[in-house]
């Protein structure tokens, strides 16, 4: 039985097992785990890996919606990942982003979060640049640290988003 209080579902501030369990049960990232703990597409429909293994291009579902009706977009992943790797992130999981281009320098406060190797190309394409090839990269995409955050609400509510609006969920 879990006894911890779920104080936020913002992926950049969550650190407890009950919070991550709640996120896994209510949301999904680019991929989610199937019954055999294998990654299967969730918000992503497919991906392409470059020949050098350092660039992943994800194609996203057009029908994924936040619970308030907003469309889940590639920008929502960029927003969340930048928050997650920020030196201000409180989750303690910014090391998970380590192999994404510039993530370590950003976490140490040496580079701007905007230099993270992740970008939205239109509404439904997410491009991720890695420092080195990583055979387990897709496996990591099931982790709540890589889930999206509703960009419009993050901008609208700022720090209050972490407590009250981090619980936005989406469906498809």
């Amino acid at each position: 039985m879990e006894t911890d209080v779920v104080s936020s579902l913002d992926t950049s501030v969550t650190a407890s097992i009950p919070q991550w369990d709640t996120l896994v049960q209510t949301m999904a990232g680019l991929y989610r785990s199937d019954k055999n703990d294998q990654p299967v597409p969730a918000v992503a429909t497919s991906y392409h890996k470059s020949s050098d293994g350092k660039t992943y291009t994800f194609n996203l579902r057009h029908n994924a919606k936040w619970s308030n009706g907003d469309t889940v977009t590639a920008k929502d992943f960029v927003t969340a990942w930048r928050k997650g790797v920020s030196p201000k992130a409180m989750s303690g999981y910014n090391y998970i982003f380590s192999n994404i281009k510039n993530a370590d320098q950003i976490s140490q406060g040496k580079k701007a979060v905007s230099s993270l190797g992740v970008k939205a190309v239109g509404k439904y394409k997410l491009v991720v640049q890695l420092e080195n090839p990583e055979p387990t990269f897709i496996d990591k995409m099931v982790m709540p640290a890589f889930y999206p955050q509703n960009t419009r609400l993050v901008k609208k509510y700022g720090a209050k988003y972490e407590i009250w609006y981090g619980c936005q969920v989406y469906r498809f």
Side-chain angles (χ1 to χ4, degrees):
M1 174 180 2
E2 298 292 349
T3 58
D4 196 11
V5 174
V6 177
S7 60
S8 174
L9 295 178
D10 180 338
T11 55
S12 67
V13 299
T14 58
S16 73
I17 297 301
Q19 288 166 315
W20 274 49
D21 285 347
T22 300
L23 286 165
V24 167
Q25 293 173 29
T26 60
M27 296 178 67
L30 295 168
Y31 282 73
R32 65 175 153 223
S33 293
D34 69 9
K35 65 182 180 179
N36 298 314
D37 287 327
Q38 297 301 308
V40 294
V43 177
T45 58
S46 63
Y47 74 91
H48 170 76
K49 180 172 63 171
S50 64
S51 59
D52 68 0
K54 294 180 6 179
T55 302
Y56 284 75
T57 302
F58 294 93
N59 297 301
L60 308 183
R61 295 178 179 275
H62 293 215
N63 63 340
K65 303 282 184 193
W66 291 99
S67 59
N68 67 357
D70 290 351
T71 300
V72 178
T73 67
K75 183 67 176 162
D76 295 336
F77 286 92
V78 172
T79 295
W81 293 17
R82 285 178 178 175
K83 283 183 69 181
V85 77
S86 165
K88 296 177 183 177
M90 298 179 293
S91 72
Y93 287 105
N94 54 357
Y95 68 89
I96 290 173
F97 296 88
S98 188
N99 193 35
I100 297 174
K101 185 177 177 185
N102 297 326
D104 292 339
Q105 295 90 341
I106 295 165
S107 292
Q108 296 166 10
K110 296 177 181 177
K111 286 196 174 189
V113 293
S114 60
S115 69
L116 184 65
V118 60
K119 68 178 177 179
V121 178
K123 287 178 80 170
Y124 302 109
K125 191 170 289 204
L126 181 72
V127 179
V128 182
Q129 294 179 296
L130 303 179
E131 299 279 351
N132 300 291
E134 184 176 344
T136 60
F137 185 68
I138 295 300
D139 296 332
K140 287 177 24 177
M141 294 300 98
V142 304
M143 300 173 73
F146 294 102
Y147 288 5
Q149 292 185 26
N150 187 319
T151 301
R152 186 179 67 78
L153 295 181
V154 169
K155 288 179 182 177
K156 180 177 179 179
Y157 294 106
K160 290 180 183 179
Y161 174 88
E162 295 171 356
I163 298 170
W164 304 107
Y165 297 96
C167 61
Q168 282 289 313
V169 296
Y170 50 87
R171 61 189 178 280
F172 43 83

